[in-house]
Amino acid sequence: MQTRIYETDVLIVGGGTAGTMAAIKAKQENPGLHVLVLDKADIRRSGAIAMGMDGLNNAVIPGKATPEEYTLEITEANDGIIDQRAVYRQAVECYDIVRELDSWGVDFEKDEKGDYRVYRVHRKGRYVLPMPKASDLKLILAKKVKQMKAQAINRVMATRLLTRGNQAIGALGLDVITGDFVIVKAKAVVLTAGAAGRMGLTDSGYLYSTYENPANSGDGFAMAYHAGAELTGIECYQINPTMKDYNGPACAYVAGPFGAYTANYRGERVTGCDYWSGELIMTMWKLANQGQWPLFLKMTHLDEASIAKIESILHSNERPSRDCFHQGRGKNYRNDMVELHFSEVGLCSGHSAAGVLVNHEAETSMAGLYAAGDMACVPHQYLLGALTFGKIAGVNAARFAASQPGYEPDPAQIEAERERMFRPLQNPDGVPHHQVEYKIRRIVTQYLMPPKTMTKLEIGLERILHFRRVDLNLLGARDPHELGRALEVHSIVDCAEMMARASMFRKESRWGFYHYFLDYPERDDKNWLKRVVVRKGKNGKMEVYTKEVPPYILFPHLESESVGGGELLS
């Protein structure tokens, strides 16, 4: 095992959707800069869209929707806790991203005139743009990174950011194949490390059968926290409707436009809107506790052409194993409804509103540090938001880097992380990583899962802190792969503590089931229409405080009114 040192202008941590787009746009902005992408997998098939994607959920196509309509839609969907300027910017710039992807060879559904087809799943507007044959999307992005002559280093897991005061100047990491210690000096850093998807336990019991990419263990959240950056919305969980025993999406947003809907066992529709939200999960949870369970995605009433269309999208993109799963159980959309369940709890801004606090320029609270994708808090941004803010982050990081000298990192930071990183290898007969991970995720599921109570949260926090003091020190690893898995457990613990503290701090209920707090069951806009922020204090302890929501740039009357669409029909 060796120490490898790299120097770059722009460092991008995470080679998924946002990371590859950030690399492409940083090089386009300034071709003379050196851009380096670190990915703990391989950028050709890494990130949340490793095998592709079946559609864009939030495409604002001229003539079909307006940025103003979309901004209001997301303001309502996120109960008013939102930076409208960031959402509006995404809405304005996303169409150019769609056209650019189209020119690169990404396949979008179009009508006979060649115009993009968009469908309605949201409460009001039409924003769903299907991608029937986009299983090669990630390959296209990776190829573009190579064409732009950005450097990609695969199988290196970043673990900590290097800092100089309140500025990011690089990162440290582990080569999970060779075990090398990696030091990267950079003039600007873009964090695009994805969601914190491995937080709760899956219903199936398999640690890596998660709704999110199983590599998404909250590394980016933890790196930002330990660097001193602000995070927000951590009490707003991600919980999605998934297929029972298959931790993939139920895909009502794909099937819904063709007439499918969420139904009870009698085939009766039970929701007024299948758009993923805390209100949808609240409706499902209430029905479950009323004995009206399980629920199903119903397609049996559709004609053959519609079902075949749905199958062509769902069974060739995103998770091709979906087709095999149905076949193995002898199920078919023509005759059988698809049984639904709840996903494990996690943190994500793509489907919810938790992440590193960023503004409309993808800037964090630290100089030289940018964030994009599922770990940057632009609520409900989905795939197209990751691409759009990946572009914004890449451009701004390139501009910042061009004006910066190179800084030498603090040797004390490097040595402290080297000691922490390799500690499990000194205990090869210690507790295996999967057993330790199972325990912390069981704590998350049993004590942090909604409905929340102060008693559960207090016990959960107590056990998380005990886990940090005791169980983390019992971790053992015998090789670089196991060492990487052990380090992921550290990130899960950091995120779990943030979840507990942020949830205890927001004394109201908001976002439907995501933050359903039985001790404070009502939404309280008078006192809590604001952000809850988590940050690592100078004393090393976790700080939690509030920040006002940035002034609305559209519909300013909503700031003084209750924002939201009410509960779904049941």
Side-chain angles (χ1 to χ4, degrees), residues 373-449:
D374 284 350
M375 62 161 294
C377 190
V378 181
H380 301 257
Q381 62 177 297
Y382 294 98
L383 170 59
L384 190 50
L387 290 162
T388 305
F389 267 88
K391 166 197 166 185
I392 294 168
V395 169
N396 286 333
R399 292 173 179 171
F400 183 88
S403 66
Q404 294 296 304
Y407 294 109
E408 282 299 313
D410 180 357
Q413 288 185 19
I414 294 173
E415 292 311 309
E417 179 58 7
R418 190 195 301 268
E419 193 279 330
R420 183 189 78 94
M421 181 184 294
F422 291 107
R423 192 181 306 151
L425 287 180
Q426 300 171 13
N427 186 27
D429 296 322
V431 182
H433 62 88
H434 58 273
Q435 293 184 22
V436 182
E437 180 174 334
Y438 185 92
K439 181 175 180 179
I440 185 62
R441 290 172 62 180
R442 181 170 58 85
I443 291 171
V444 169
T445 299
Q446 292 183 342
Y447 295 103
L448 306 190
M449 186 80 173

Side-chain angles (χ1 to χ4, degrees), residues 4-168:
R4 296 180 357 225
I5 301 175
Y6 299 90
E7 293 190 28
T8 188
D9 295 303
V10 177
L11 169 63
I12 298 167
V13 179
T17 306
T20 48
M21 184 60 81
I24 293 164
K25 293 303 176 180
K27 288 295 287 187
Q28 285 182 348
E29 174 66 21
N30 191 335
L33 293 181
H34 184 261
V35 176
L36 177 64
V37 183
L38 290 184
D39 196 300
K40 66 178 176 182
D42 187 306
I43 70 166
R44 292 173 298 174
R45 285 297 187 193
S46 64
I49 63 157
M51 287 304 295
M53 182 58 71
D54 43 41
L56 300 175
N57 289 359
N58 52 351
V60 181
I61 306 298
K64 308 292 185 179
T66 68
E68 291 78 10
E69 291 169 341
Y70 178 77
T71 302
L72 177 58
E73 189 90 45
I74 302 304
T75 301
E76 292 180 342
N78 206 53
D79 284 0
I81 310 292
I82 197 166
D83 182 347
Q84 281 195 343
R85 194 172 180 185
V87 174
Y88 185 76
R89 181 162 187 187
Q90 173 188 317
V92 169
E93 297 188 18
C94 69
Y95 181 55
D96 287 340
I97 297 292
V98 171
R99 291 193 299 174
E100 190 163 35
L101 292 173
D102 200 341
S103 71
W104 293 350
V106 178
D107 180 68
F108 295 101
E109 184 174 334
K110 298 175 182 176
D111 61 22
E112 59 280 356
K113 297 180 181 179
D115 296 329
Y116 298 111
R117 286 189 187 274
V118 291
Y119 298 93
R120 177 178 173 178
V121 172
H122 295 66
R123 291 183 179 277
K124 299 182 180 69
R126 295 178 178 270
Y127 309 105
V128 179
L129 173 58
M131 303 159 69
K133 301 175 183 177
S135 58
D136 57 355
L137 173 56
K138 197 68 209 311
L139 297 177
I140 290 172
L141 291 169
K143 181 179 179 180
K144 196 68 179 177
V145 170
K146 186 175 181 179
Q147 290 175 344
M148 297 303 298
K149 295 183 170 52
Q151 182 181 4
I153 301 178
N154 295 315
R155 308 297 176 184
V156 170
M157 173 185 174
T159 58
R160 287 289 187 268
L161 295 180
L162 289 168
T163 60
R164 179 179 180 270
N166 194 46
Q167 182 171 342

Side-chain angles (χ1 to χ4, degrees), residues 231-287:
L231 298 97
T232 191
I234 306 300
E235 72 280 20
C236 180
Y237 297 169
Q238 173 187 351
I239 309 169
N240 297 323
T242 58
M243 297 197 310
K244 181 70 166 64
D245 297 329
Y246 177 93
N247 267 53
C251 283
Y253 63 88
V254 172
F258 297 97
Y261 54 82
T262 304
N264 59 22
Y265 70 95
R266 293 186 294 268
E268 300 165 340
R269 182 163 194 157
V270 295
T271 64
C273 174
D274 290 305
Y275 174 69
W276 284 6
S277 68
E279 293 298 338
L280 173 62
I281 298 298
M282 177 70 89
T283 297
M284 294 175 64
W285 179 78
K286 286 181 176 180
L287 290 172

